Each structure stands twice: as C-alpha cells, then as structure tokens.
Amino acid sequence: MRVAELRESTGAVTVMDRVIVPKIKSAANCPIPMCQSCQLSRARLRKPKVAKSKAIPENASTLSRDQYCTGDFVSLDQYIVKTPGRLPTGYGKESYTNMFHGGTIFRDAAS
C-alpha cells in the first residue's frame, strides 16, 4: 500500500501511514487492480483476426467422400450390466435370470 495524503476541505493535509508493510519494497508502488465491472465498462470492440482462404479444387470433395446411404455402414456394440433391468412386459416380479443383463447398440453411419 502507498502512503496516502488526505486533503480536507479546510486545507489541512493528513498523512496516513501504511497499514500493511510489504515484504518486497517494490510491491508498495503497484497500482491497485481494477474490479471486474470497471474492466468491463472500459472494454472496447476488437476486430477479429480472420484470414480468408480459397478452396483447393483437388480437395473439394473431402467432406462428402465418406457419406453413406442408410444401411451402408452400421456399427454395433454389446454391453453387459451388473444391475439387472426390468422387462417392459412384466410387473416387477420376474426372476433374476429373466431380467435384462445387457444389450446391443446399433449405430448407422448415415444418420
């Protein structure tokens, strides 16, 4: 903190000493940081640094190269769960062996 001089309306000057004495002497001359609302109020609009590029003709179809029709490429994955799940047709009274213990997930690349 800096030593503060207080000037009163009567013209008297009061010198207020530091409350916290820093360990590093140069820290006493640091400016007081601004609060967030003051920083936001001083903000200015900056133009984005965007570079325009032209399309390369030989790479024109790279994004549409791997597009598939429905059913052309289907991935599947199987999973097992330790906590059994209920069947949609039962009333919660199924035996442990008749409950869901896993399943298969199908994923179509076209969708």
Side-chain angles (χ1 to χ4, degrees):
M1 294 179 64
R2 299 178 183 172
V3 177
E5 291 184 1
L6 218 72
R7 296 182 190 270
E8 297 180 16
S9 59
T10 59
V13 177
T14 307
V15 177
M16 299 180 72
D17 201 17
R18 297 181 216 164
V19 178
I20 301 172
V21 179
K23 291 180 183 178
I24 303 170
K25 297 295 180 187
S26 62
N29 298 330
C30 293
I32 299 171
M34 255 196 273
C35 65
Q36 275 188 331
S37 58
C38 294
Q39 288 177 353
L40 285 173
S41 67
R42 295 192 60 192
R44 299 287 178 249
L45 181 64
R46 291 178 12 181
K47 295 182 180 178
K49 297 178 181 177
V50 178
K52 293 183 180 181
S53 61
K54 294 182 180 179
I56 301 170
E58 57 262 8
N59 294 340
S61 64
T62 54
L63 293 177
S64 62
R65 179 178 43 209
D66 295 333
Q67 288 186 353
Y68 302 106
C69 294
T70 305
D72 284 349
F73 186 71
V74 178
S75 303
L76 63 103
D77 193 15
Q78 293 184 336
Y79 63 95
I80 298 173
V81 292
K82 291 187 177 185
T83 306
R86 289 183 48 191
L87 296 173
T89 57
Y91 293 98
K93 297 180 182 180
E94 301 96 5
S95 66
Y96 181 79
T97 57
N98 290 339
M99 293 183 174
F100 280 123
H101 291 278
T104 305
I105 300 171
F106 293 93
R107 171 78 168 112
D108 193 355
S111 58

